[in-house]
Amino acid sequence: SLADGVYSLKAVLMDAAGNIGTAGSALSVTIDTTAASLSGKTLDLATVSDSGTSSTDNITNQTLPTWDVDISGNAVLVNGNPAPLQANDIVYIYNKADLTGGVPNAGATPIATATVSGTDVTAGKITLTATSAFTQGTSTLVAIAKTQAGSLGSASPDFTMTVDTTA
């Protein structure tokens, strides 16, 4: 078993007589078993989308709202140790109804997707905007992160927002 890291692998052939051929070209392989977790991190309407009477009522008049997701501190586990998300990890926002056991259902489409940049890591947050319009009413959302290797982590706490285009 290989520990997380980058490895350079080469293949060699050996014939029945035990003669070893020339090694082939190197193949770079990255082993990444990290699990991203936004458990305990906040998902909130970005100031530009928050149109309620307070910054905590989670009301927007926008059908394509923008959210901020807290990615500060330790959001992944590397060899069992907490570590921050990295540039090129991905953050998704899903309707909670599209998850079973905290995992997106087959065919579930994220409401918003963004790739983490170095600037996001430094700022400790990432901003995402809805890609399909919300209708009037209340929705419960969660944010989920995925590492570069494809490890999907646990979801953020539920975030309930109301779209009110009549106010």
Side-chain angles (χ1 to χ4, degrees):
S1 139
L2 294 174
D4 284 7
V6 178
Y7 297 89
S8 180
L9 305 175
K10 292 182 180 184
V12 293
L13 295 175
M14 181 179 0
D15 64 18
N19 298 313
I20 298 175
T22 304
S25 299
L27 172 67
S28 180
V29 175
T30 301
I31 306 295
D32 182 355
T33 59
T34 60
S37 173
L38 292 177
S39 176
K41 302 294 182 179
T42 58
L43 164 64
D44 197 14
L45 281 170
T47 303
V48 67
S49 290
D50 194 340
S51 60
T53 57
S54 79
S55 62
T56 60
D57 62 7
N58 301 324
I59 296 174
T60 184
N61 59 9
Q62 298 180 11
T63 59
L64 292 171
T66 299
W67 303 273
D68 289 327
V69 177
D70 175 12
I71 61 168
S72 65
N74 298 324
V76 298
L77 293 176
V78 177
N79 296 325
N81 300 309
L85 283 176
Q86 300 175 26
N88 298 317
D89 289 341
I90 300 172
V91 175
Y92 302 97
I93 295 177
Y94 281 95
N95 186 315
K96 186 174 181 190
D98 290 338
L99 277 66
T100 302
V103 177
N105 298 326
T109 302
I111 294 166
T113 302
T115 301
V116 177
S117 70
T119 302
D120 298 328
V121 171
T122 301
K125 73 174 184 176
I126 187 168
T127 301
L128 298 90
T129 300
T131 55
S132 58
F134 280 80
T135 58
Q136 188 90 352
T138 301
S139 299
T140 301
L141 311 174
V142 295
I144 297 177
K146 182 171 79 172
T147 65
Q148 296 170 46
S151 299
L152 198 62
S154 54
S156 68
D158 294 357
F159 171 76
T160 301
M161 69 165 209
T162 301
V163 174
D164 182 359
T165 57
T166 62

